[in-house]
Amino acid sequence: MQSLKQETYHAQPSALGLVPFFIFIIVYLGTGIYLELVGVKMGFYQLPGPVAASVGVASAFLLFKSNLNQKFDDFLAGCGDKNIMTMCVIYLLAGAFAVVSKAMGGVDSTVNLGLTYIPVEYLAAGLFVIASFISTAIGTSVGAIVALGPIAVGLAQQSGLSMALALAAVMGGAMFGDNLSIISDTTIASTRTQDVAMNDKFRINLYIALPASLLTIVLLLVYGKPESIAPLSTHDFQFVKTLPYLFVLVLALLGLNVFLVLFVGILLSGAIGLYYGSFTLLSFGKEIYHGFSGMQEIFLLSLLTGGIAFMVTREGGVAWVISKIEKLIVGPKSAKVGIASLVSVVDLAVANNTVAIVIVGEITKKISVKFGVDRREGAVILDIFSCVFQGLIPYGAQMLILLGFAKGSVDFLAVLPLLWYQGLLAIFTLFYIFSGTYSAWVLRGLESKAGSVQA
């Protein structure tokens, strides 16, 4: 990713460089909004994201002035970026784990287990807590959503809980861990680009995320009670079929690589399915491929947006945004708001919070040094606001996967007003930024830690 970082800061600012992003977003969101307004169900998802992204790619090739070979090189460099490819492999493994686990009966058993031991009025809060736990353990919101999304849908269908609220609870919990986990790509990217210690970033982040999560739980407990409880035909479950989810969580807590965790989860689900006759060895392989195929849209969208991001960066589009934000900065607090705005805008454009952090990381460090912002705070703000917006956009991988599990029973506009955690996280972060007393108190607690910020 070093080449992308270098191009970000040496490119001449140019508003023209942003045009392909705007075209992609206008085509994708504009089509969805129009279809929703004319009454088409799930209007946001009638036009596949990769098709809209392809329009953005084509516009970049037409508008940008470099020679054709250079444009192809830039596009392929963005597609092949390590962060993009990492997410794509996680998509494949997560999809396979979800499909294989469901095929062997893991989702049904887990749903019935949850309905047996969790009171219905606590289901929404329970889903948020479990999603937070899983995402923190495995360091990825996508993995948490894939593991818990089908369970949340099943619980909502059988309990009478609002489907939109159940999905919003899962999304909030997934973004909690994506932001806070020490093995999350966003945490790694934000701390490395700011040259700060990961444990310091975690501690500051926790002072902001914890009150937001506690208030979210309270809201879910108050407003998450089903209006009517649908009776279940049976609560029968086989505990052994819930083990893959628990095993994946334990392995993640032991610090294993997320790829290995998901791979072992697939093998365990497969072994259980083979033992209980849920599928044969051949059909086990087909279920894995089915899981891969289910991630095709997300996979392609990630590749294409990665390619656009690199081309736009080389053409000075990101540099132009940076130059505009820098003009509005007059001191440390406005610098922090500028950092938050910068990473938010880039995440809205690239729909990938890790890529957004990497793109703006170096300039964030320069802003922090120039305007007296503690670089640990810069890392926290980068991570938080990239995750806030990643958990809100309808064309992000997380939302696409989550709503896909609902199979058209609920749409994005129904879920959006219930994404309380993301909103509260943003509010508490702004409170931290503008409350000098609170932020100073938090930083004083870290002063005894030597070497937190590298020279």
Side-chain angles (χ1 to χ4, degrees):
M1 200 61 191
Q2 184 63 30
S3 60
L4 176 58
K5 289 172 67 177
Q6 290 173 344
E7 293 292 346
T8 300
Y9 315 113
H10 297 321
Q12 291 296 318
S14 171
L16 179 64
L18 290 174
V19 171
F21 270 144
F22 287 134
I23 290 176
F24 162 49
I25 293 172
I26 289 171
V27 170
Y28 190 75
L29 294 185
T31 301
I33 293 171
Y34 171 76
L35 293 176
E36 288 283 349
L37 291 176
V38 299
V40 176
K41 191 173 183 179
M42 298 293 290
F44 278 107
Y45 307 102
Q46 298 304 310
L47 178 66
V51 175
S54 296
V55 177
V57 173
S59 67
F61 273 83
L62 290 172
L63 292 171
F64 295 161
K65 296 179 180 179
S66 56
N67 66 66
L68 186 61
N69 289 334
Q70 182 64 59
K71 284 185 278 194
F72 269 113
D73 288 343
D74 292 343
F75 175 70
L76 293 176
C79 292
D81 172 69
K82 181 180 178 181
N83 287 304
I84 297 296
M85 296 310 301
T86 296
M87 288 304 301
C88 286
V89 176
I90 290 176
Y91 294 154
L92 296 178
L93 293 176
F97 174 70
V99 170
V100 172
S101 298
K102 183 177 181 179
M104 66 84 175
V107 172
D108 292 336
S109 286
T110 305
V111 166
N112 285 337
L113 176 64
L115 290 172
T116 299
Y117 293 107
I118 301 177
V120 173
E121 59 269 27
Y122 301 146
L123 277 179
L127 287 171
F128 175 81
V129 171
I130 295 170
S132 300
F133 193 50
I134 292 175
S135 59
T136 303
I138 66 176
T140 165
S141 54
V142 172
I145 288 170
V146 167
L148 194 57
I151 297 171
V153 171
L155 288 170
Q157 290 172 338
Q158 297 188 52
S159 69
L161 177 66
S162 163
M163 178 69 73
L165 187 61
L167 296 182
V170 172
M171 177 63 80
M175 299 317 298
F176 173 90
D178 198 333
N179 165 228
L180 202 59
S181 174
I182 61 173
I183 60 173
S184 168
D185 287 345
T186 60
T187 295
I188 294 170
S190 62
T191 53
R192 286 184 177 179
T193 58
Q194 302 311 298
D195 291 331
V196 300
M198 192 175 293
N199 61 328
D200 282 347
K201 180 266 182 187
F202 175 83
R203 291 174 64 189
I204 298 174
N205 208 152
L206 189 63
Y207 280 109
I208 300 170
L210 188 58
S213 62
L214 291 176
L215 186 52
T216 300
I217 291 172
V218 171
L219 291 173
L220 290 171
L221 289 173
V222 173
Y223 296 104
K225 297 179 181 179
E227 294 181 3
S228 61
I229 299 175
L232 299 176
S233 57
T234 178
H235 284 288
D236 292 340
F237 63 88
Q238 293 171 296
F239 182 75
V240 67
K241 292 187 176 182
T242 70
L243 289 179
Y245 300 107
L246 298 175
F247 195 65
V248 162
L249 185 57
V250 171
L251 288 181
L253 287 172
L254 292 175
L256 270 71
N257 181 279
V258 65
F259 298 108
L260 181 60
V261 168
L262 290 171
F263 181 73
V264 173
I266 293 169
L267 293 181
L268 180 58
S269 291
I272 294 173
L274 291 169
Y275 179 81
Y276 281 93
S278 302
F279 40 66
T280 65
L281 189 61
L282 181 59
S283 60
F284 172 45
K286 290 182 177 179
E287 295 293 350
I288 292 176
Y289 184 72
H290 185 203
F292 289 168
S293 300
M295 293 294 168
Q296 175 179 310
E297 180 175 348
I298 312 299
F299 189 100
L300 292 174
L301 184 60
S302 295
L303 287 178
L304 293 172
T305 53
I308 297 175
F310 194 99
M311 296 180 75
V312 166
T313 300
R314 275 193 61 116
E315 286 295 319
V318 173
W320 183 84
V321 174
I322 291 170
S323 67
K324 297 302 179 183
I325 289 179
E326 274 197 312
K327 292 179 181 179
L328 303 176
I329 297 175
V330 295
K333 290 182 180 179
S334 62
K336 295 175 187 177
V337 174
I339 292 169
S341 302
L342 182 60
V343 75
S344 300
V345 169
V346 175
D347 185 73
L348 287 171
V350 303
N352 185 304
N353 45 353
T354 302
V355 173
I357 291 171
V358 172
I359 288 174
V360 305
E362 187 64 27
I363 191 62
T364 293
K365 184 166 66 173
K366 292 179 180 179
I367 290 173
S368 296
V369 172
K370 182 176 181 179
F371 294 98
V373 175
D374 191 302
R375 295 208 302 269
R376 295 168 295 187
E377 294 180 306
V380 170
I381 293 169
L382 277 178
D383 201 336
I384 285 179
F385 276 92
S386 70
C387 287
V388 165
F389 281 89
Q390 189 66 27
L392 291 174
I393 54 177
Y395 51 91
Q398 291 81 355
M399 189 65 73
L400 288 170
I401 294 172
L402 189 62
L403 290 176
F405 290 131
K407 299 186 183 302
S409 61
V410 67
D411 62 14
F412 170 73
L413 294 179
V415 176
L416 180 62
L418 303 175
L419 297 171
W420 298 329
Y421 175 70
Q422 289 89 311
L424 289 170
L425 183 60
I427 291 171
F428 275 96
T429 308
L430 291 174
F431 171 77
Y432 177 89
I433 290 173
F434 289 104
S435 175
T437 302
Y438 184 64
S439 58
W441 176 76
V442 172
L443 290 176
R444 277 198 299 271
L446 303 179
E447 289 177 355
S448 60
K449 297 288 184 178
S452 293
V453 181
Q454 301 174 7

